[in-house]
Amino acid sequence: MLANVIAIDGPAASGKSTAAKNLAKTLGIVYINTGSMYRAIAWKAAQKGISSKDSEAVEKMLQNTTLAYEQQTPSSPWDICIDGIFPGQKLRSPEIAQAASDVATMPAVRAFTLDIQRNMAKDKLIVMEGRDIGTVVFPNARYKFFLTASPRARAYRRLTQDGETPDGATLDSVAAEIAERDKQDSERTVAPLRQAEDAIYVDSSNCTQEQTLAVLLRYIHDLKK
Ligand code: DC
């Protein structure tokens, strides 16, 4: 049976968040950004003085952690909530991005997030974005996309995103940071970043947001919300 999910995977700064958000808005369905789960876990660890590389301490921390997507008000978008707190923009720093990539390599973290992610598509159609949605979380997703862009286009996009790069960052320094994170995300043993065999490959290097959305919509039909 197909899962009630449109999966969008791809490397860092490939434009998948924007594409997933635009797609969900156009279809009138919920958008879930799974990267925020790893970012929220990394953020909580940092608050507690736990290193993002200390898998034992992070695993212990998860025993007292609740993670969910919730709406702050009935009209707000769904956002990550950890232990009753919405960290919001605090998750969008380069330090948290790197720490999120660290904790995302840990088997205990992946088991924890997998359960939560699978539960979300039980009763409604959703757009879920991440690195392993079409390969591990929902191999039976209704639609699967692998969205990418050239290293230069991705570095440029990241550089122009508020708060996502350190002061003084250049196109070259951002490209190097993204390449390092992609390497860690692709080479980890559990749920590495890779394209599912049956995913539709979309290169958005030369596309505007509207053009990328149009490409995705071309493949989507017969949706049962
Ligand atoms: O998409 P993002 O940059 O917010 O993701 C932050 C980190 O989380 C990224 O380095 C890889 C990891 N991640 C993952 O391992 N699996 C996912 N489904 C989503 C993100």
Side-chain angles (χ1 to χ4, degrees):
M1 208 176 93
L2 291 178
N4 258 339
V5 174
I6 299 172
I8 303 189
D9 290 307
S14 55
K16 59 190 187 311
S17 297
T18 306
K21 237 182 265 177
N22 288 342
L23 182 62
K25 194 170 170 201
T26 306
L27 300 175
I29 60 177
V30 170
Y31 154 69
I32 300 290
N33 171 344
T34 58
S36 345
M37 295 181 130
Y38 303 95
R39 287 177 184 251
I41 293 169
W43 176 75
K44 178 175 173 184
Q47 300 284 103
K48 294 199 156 296
I50 296 171
S51 158
S52 62
K53 295 191 189 288
D54 186 342
S55 52
E56 246 175 65
V58 172
E59 184 170 353
K60 201 160 163 225
M61 182 189 90
L62 291 181
Q63 291 167 8
N64 299 308
T65 298
T66 55
L67 199 58
Y69 281 86
E70 290 178 15
Q71 289 172 288
Q72 295 208 48
T73 69
S75 58
S76 325
W78 293 77
D79 201 2
I80 194 72
C81 180
I82 187 160
D83 300 335
I85 301 167
F86 289 91
Q89 276 304 109
K90 294 195 187 99
L91 301 184
R92 301 281 135 205
S93 72
E95 295 77 20
I96 293 296
Q98 183 52 50
S101 180
D102 294 341
V103 301
T105 63
M106 300 173 184
V109 169
R110 300 219 76 91
F112 183 81
T113 53
L114 184 65
D115 251 11
I116 302 170
Q117 290 160 2
R118 286 204 173 138
N119 271 324
M120 278 190 263
K122 277 206 172 128
D123 49 1
K124 56 185 177 305
L125 178 71
I126 57 173
V127 176
M128 188 174 274
E129 174 229 318
R131 303 292 190 287
D132 60 337
I133 309 307
T135 51
V136 174
V137 187
F138 291 108
N140 56 343
R142 198 163 287 273
Y143 292 100
K144 292 184 192 179
F145 296 98
F146 190 83
L147 193 67
T148 191
S150 69
R152 209 169 169 79
R154 294 196 283 133
Y156 179 76
R157 287 175 190 168
R158 181 48 49 92
L159 199 56
T160 50
Q161 265 165 352
D162 250 8
E164 290 267 357
T165 47
D167 288 346
T170 63
L171 210 52
D172 284 344
S173 71
V174 176
E177 177 264 317
I178 290 176
E180 193 186 315
R181 203 143 68 84
D182 285 348
K183 186 170 180 322
Q184 176 157 290
D185 293 341
S186 317
E187 291 182 354
R188 67 180 177 226
T189 8
V190 199
L193 163 68
R194 67 175 177 81
Q195 181 182 349
E197 275 174 22
D198 52 350
I200 297 158
Y201 179 89
V202 179
D203 183 333
S204 72
S205 305
N206 298 313
C207 294
T208 61
Q209 290 184 25
E210 292 74 21
Q211 287 168 331
T212 305
L213 175 64
V215 171
L216 302 187
L217 284 170
R218 212 182 295 151
Y219 290 97
I220 295 178
H221 40 82
D222 295 340
L223 276 186
K224 288 188 189 65
K225 295 191 206 169

